[in-house]
């Protein structure tokens, strides 16, 4: 069955370190998204991509970057982790025409 | 810019009672509207969506929602709550099918036996 997987599921890091969260989907979807989930804020869009070599900033993109070298993967990089980036991160993908997004199970990141 | 407001961050219902979760949006153009559910330690799962056509939308697990343009609302209901409905529910909106979902803050539902 097609799926979307995130790794690692849990990570603890220190302030200033670079962190990369992986997202891999086998739906063959063109659209991929990264959200962060914080209490009281719901999910906020960090970055998104509509296809290979396409990346766009969302509403909370500062301190994050993404790259899209193939259809299946959209890794999220925190260049220099900050305590404010402690959160649960969700990757999602979707196909054109349906409006529906499929979500991974999330990556819980703690920055000490 | 669009926004989504969910009224009530926490709703408690008795098993068998009506579940009503409120969602209002702000938009100057017709939206696409979604309800997602999140069970503990899991990702989000689509409950139902409205894009065009019939304004009463039925979803999985007995949930339904009605799009009311005049009230800019998309409230979620279920006639009879089950213990398995305990979860967090998110209303979301997007426009012109660009898939950039904007989410509400979420409503946590607890079900009392």
């Amino acid at each position: 069955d097609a799926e979307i997987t995130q790794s690692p599921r849990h990570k603890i890091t220190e302030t200033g370190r670079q962190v990369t969260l992986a997202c891999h989907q086998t739906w063959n979807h063109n659209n991929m998204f990264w959200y962060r989930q914080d209490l009281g804020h719901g999910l906020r869009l960090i970055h998104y991509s509509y296809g290979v070599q396409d990346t766009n900033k969302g509403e909370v993109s500062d301190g994050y970057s993404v790259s899209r070298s193939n259809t299946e993967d959209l890794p999220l990089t925190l260049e220099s982790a900050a305590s404010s980036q402690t959160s649960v991160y969700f990757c999602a993908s979707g196909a054109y025409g349906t409006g529906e997004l499929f979500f991974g199970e999330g990556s819980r990141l703690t920055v000490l | 810019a669009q926004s989504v407001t969910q009224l009530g961050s926490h709703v408690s219902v008795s098993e068998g009672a009506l579940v009503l979760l409120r969602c209002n949006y702000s938009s100057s153009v017709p939206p696409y509207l979604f309800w997602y559910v999140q069970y503990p330690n899991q990702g989000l799962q689509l409950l139902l969506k409205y894009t065009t056509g019939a304004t009463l939308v039925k979803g999985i697990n007995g949930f339904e929602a009605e799009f009311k343009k005049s009230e800019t609302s998309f409230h979620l209901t279920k006639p009879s709550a089950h213990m398995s409905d305990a979860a967090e529910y998110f209303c979301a909106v997007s426009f012109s099918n660009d898939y950039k979902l904007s989410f509400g803050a979420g409503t946590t539902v607890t079900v009392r036996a």
Side-chain angles (χ1 to χ4, degrees), chain B residues 13-72:
Chain B
V13 299
S14 297
E15 192 173 20
L18 171 72
V19 179
L20 171 60
L21 305 183
R22 301 178 186 276
C23 174
N24 289 88
Y25 67 92
S26 64
S27 167
S28 58
V29 298
Y32 295 104
L33 295 160
F34 306 81
W35 276 99
Y36 280 84
V37 60
Q38 183 182 29
Y39 299 103
N41 299 314
Q42 294 186 25
L44 281 71
Q45 177 184 1
L46 182 70
L47 271 179
L48 49 79
K49 65 181 180 183
Y50 168 80
T51 52
T52 59
T55 57
L56 181 62
V57 180
K58 295 186 184 299
I60 62 172
N61 301 337
F63 285 92
E64 63 181 35
E66 186 171 12
F67 170 55
K68 293 187 176 180
K69 183 178 179 181
S70 61
E71 299 178 6
T72 61

Side-chain angles (χ1 to χ4, degrees), chain A residues 55-80:
Chain A
T55 61
N56 306 278
K57 294 181 179 180
E59 62 177 308
V60 290
S61 61
D62 287 349
Y64 303 95
S65 63
V66 293
S67 61
R68 187 89 180 271
S69 59
N70 57 54
T71 300
E72 296 80 16
D73 300 289
L74 187 70
L76 177 71
T77 297
L78 289 68
E79 301 293 343
S80 178

Side-chain angles (χ1 to χ4, degrees), chain A residues 21-36:
Chain A
L21 305 180
C23 176
H24 179 80
Q25 53 100 359
T26 58
W27 294 98
N28 200 34
H29 289 156
N30 286 315
N31 306 327
M32 295 186 72
F33 304 81
W34 274 103
Y35 288 87
R36 60 177 289 174

Side-chain angles (χ1 to χ4, degrees), chain A residues 31 37 50 95-98 101, chain B residues 34 36 38 49 98-99 101:
Chain A
N31 306 327
Q37 183 180 23
Y50 289 141
Y96 292 126
T98 68
L101 292 188
Chain B
F34 306 81
Y36 280 84
Q38 183 182 29
K49 65 181 180 183
D98 67 1
Y99 308 106
L101 293 184

